[in-house]
Amino acid sequence: MPRTRRGAAGAVLGLVVLVAAAALSAGAPARAAVACPWMSRTLSPGKRTAMLLAAMTTAQKLALVVGVDPHAALGVADGPLYVGYVPGNADLCIPALTFNDGPAGVADLQVGTTAFPAPIAQAATWDTSLQRRFGAALGLEAWEKGIDVLLAPDVNIARVPENGRNFEGFGEDPFLSGQTAAAEIAGIQQNPVIATVKHYAVNSQETNRYYVSSNVDDRTLHEIYLPPFEAAVKQAHVGAVMCAYGLVNASFSCQDQPLLTTVLRGQFGFPGFVVSDWGATWSTVASADAGLDIEMPGGLFYGGALADAVASGAVSSPTIDAMASRILTTMFRIGVFDEPPPALASVSATDVSSPADQALALRVAEEGTVLLKDDRRALPLDLHAGETVAVIGAPAGFGDIRAYAGGRGSAFVAAATPVPPLQAIAARAAKVGASVVFADGSDPVAAAALAHSADVAVVFAYDHEQEGRDRPDLQLPDAQDELVSAVAEANPSTVVVLDTGGPVLMPWLGQVPAVVEAWYSGQRDGDAIAAVLFGDVNPSGKLPQTFPATNDAVPTSSPAQWPGDRQAQDAEFTEGIHVGYRWYDTEKVAPLFPFGYGLSYTRFAYSHLRIARMRSNVSVSFTVANSGARPGSEIAQLYVDDPRVAGEPPKQLAGYDRVFLRPHRSTRVTITLTPRSLSYWDSPKARWRVAHGLYRILVGSSSRDIRLRGFLRR
Ligand code: NOJ
């Protein structure tokens, strides 16, 4: 059973005491039974909300829909605090809503939380049960730090490879992103913590992020950019949605009626609340009418302006009731009223990063690491007593290692006890009597000389991804290409480890026998990479995003697409549904490494494809065997190629399964396709439609390594 607050509730006496103390410190539920009949847990969230709303004044409702400065509200001068705060109301037994980031661990509070691998690494595991465990751990750490609204996950599709927040999302495929998000959200909300799926909608670049209009057609919106949000709502019952910076088709996301109401509430059936991104609200009446429930971080457009609008009748009372109702129902449903988190003052210095969470961070890092190249069996390293490894590059342990373990911006988590790769590799090498020498890489000549003197060289390279800024291009910064080339020339046994948040170019690829993509892999970074390099862990991660061969061979190569026309005012999504591998396949462009790709120290064989109809669903099954010599996990992928009339790309991911196999063992994998897996969005009719004709069922080890093919007629 996951170690979650709600899972443990009631069973542990200490917990009950803690919760009671927390509730009292929030100044509320002591009088609950008498003064606040809606505090009865036996009533449904809907009933409790109706009772509470009936007892509220308009001013009290208006106070719920806007953030205030937490420092001022709590009388704290500075120091770690919430990123967003809606005060509670003791008379009504309403607890405060406390918001914090984020997707790679509980951010901002600065001390005592686990720095998990970046979401792109989480996605690279393709492991929904691990993602759920991660969510549960993240949610519990949030609760223990006094947070009841966690601003994660980020499901924006990686449309532009240079996007500065690439590391913060789950890659380029809507299905993989949706499944990853749903698993994480389910985990988070096992605790009395509201998950917030973000940024709704599109939000695919950082250049001019507050004002850029993503000009995208309706079909593309439904097939590529919205499905992860839909999965978050329908599969995981996410409590909150954050509307995005920027505009979609010239309309600000946080006041877009079709997006917030027609699609999110109408088509997806979302009952929760919508919170604006920080500073993404641009109007009072239009936003309230469109369905924005909470303005963050403060009340520029809600607050006093909204009170005036209600007084004048410009915004109706039922609208305010609906907003308050969505917030309160979500709080009741997820447990914020019944198990509010402890007050910040009592926990700001507490270390909530448990050994179990750190072990989980390690597991995610290990499973998410992608082996991109391994020629001549360069890996795993086979070192002997007396041999030397030259470890080169800043991320290995020079300077602030934390800078390379996570991307920058609101998602950044400062780990208390990071394990630098240099330390972990040295410890592992010592076990076989080998030793390590180190160069920071700032002087390529010195680094090459060091590599020449060693038996093996491991070079660490990084990129700088951060919120608020796109990368200028896909080249490694700071002359690292020269460094890698120089080292590879000096020692043919050179392994490159990439600590990047997304794709980078590799002009030196032909010079090195092995490359590993380790992403920004959190505080156990070093342990994970040492385990993979030495073969203690057999790599199994697969790319959630295509790695292009050049800066230009990308789906968004024209300036109108990215950063957009008129100084990035208008990003034209002219590639339409051809995002990521969909574009490479359609245009027959060879990527450097394709979507879904990743090597292993063992081999897997696929056989015996069977496609069977089961009423409206289709069951696809096949056998995967480990035909190599080591135990390992394979991520089997199922793609669908629709009939031509549907106008879809040559293949789209429709299912996957991660299987662990010992050598010479095999297993049967079964993946169920639903009508939706075979549908395209019929824009004029505003509905999903299954085209008539022949579907090709493609099963393989990556999007460009299809091992089994079958047909299905619809
Ligand atoms: C802006 C970011 O876009 C969003 O992801 C984050 O949650 C908020 N700031 C709050 O930090």
Side-chain angles (χ1 to χ4, degrees), residues 83 101 108 151 165 168 198-199 209 242 245 277-278 410 467:
V83 71
D101 290 291
D108 298 320
L151 305 174
R165 294 184 90 172
E168 222 180 299
K198 65 189 187 182
H199 310 83
R209 68 168 174 169
M242 180 190 289
Y245 291 137
D277 199 344
W278 271 228
S410 58
E467 182 180 338

Side-chain angles (χ1 to χ4, degrees), residues 326-545:
R326 290 189 286 253
I327 298 164
L328 295 170
T329 312
T330 308
M331 291 170 69
F332 278 122
R333 175 170 75 82
I334 295 186
V336 175
F337 273 88
D338 301 330
E339 296 180 73
L344 179 75
S346 65
V347 291
S348 61
T350 312
D351 193 335
V352 298
S353 176
S354 66
D357 291 359
Q358 289 163 26
L360 194 58
L362 173 61
R363 182 76 188 271
V364 175
E366 289 171 348
E367 284 195 15
T369 299
V370 184
L371 179 60
L372 294 175
K373 180 173 182 182
D374 188 17
D375 283 1
R376 310 194 308 264
R377 299 197 174 213
L379 290 176
L381 296 177
D382 185 19
L383 285 176
H384 301 99
E387 291 185 326
T388 322
V389 193
V391 177
I392 294 164
F398 183 78
D400 184 4
I401 161 69
R402 295 178 303 185
Y404 308 98
R408 292 278 163 171
S410 58
F412 185 73
V413 184
T417 51
V419 179
L422 177 62
Q423 180 188 319
I425 293 172
R428 183 58 181 78
K431 285 194 183 166
V432 295
S435 59
V436 160
V437 287
F438 175 64
D440 68 17
S442 56
D443 176 354
V445 177
L450 190 80
H452 187 70
S453 72
D455 296 284
V456 176
V458 180
V459 196
F460 286 77
Y462 57 87
D463 70 346
H464 295 300
E465 281 197 20
Q466 69 167 70
E467 182 180 338
R469 196 181 70 192
D470 289 330
R471 287 186 287 163
D473 54 39
L474 302 176
Q475 211 171 329
L476 286 172
D478 306 335
Q480 293 178 89
D481 286 334
E482 287 78 351
L483 172 67
V484 174
S485 282
V487 170
E489 203 156 296
N491 190 331
S493 297
T494 291
V495 177
V496 178
V497 177
L498 297 169
D499 276 343
T500 70
V504 290
L505 305 182
M506 305 179 205
W508 33 259
L509 187 61
Q511 281 180 275
V512 299
V515 182
V516 177
E517 176 56 84
W519 315 107
Y520 302 148
S521 46
Q523 70 184 66
R524 298 294 297 275
D525 188 12
D527 290 329
I529 198 63
V532 167
L533 293 178
F534 284 87
D536 304 334
V537 162
N538 189 349
S540 57
K542 303 256 187 180
L543 293 180
Q545 190 175 0

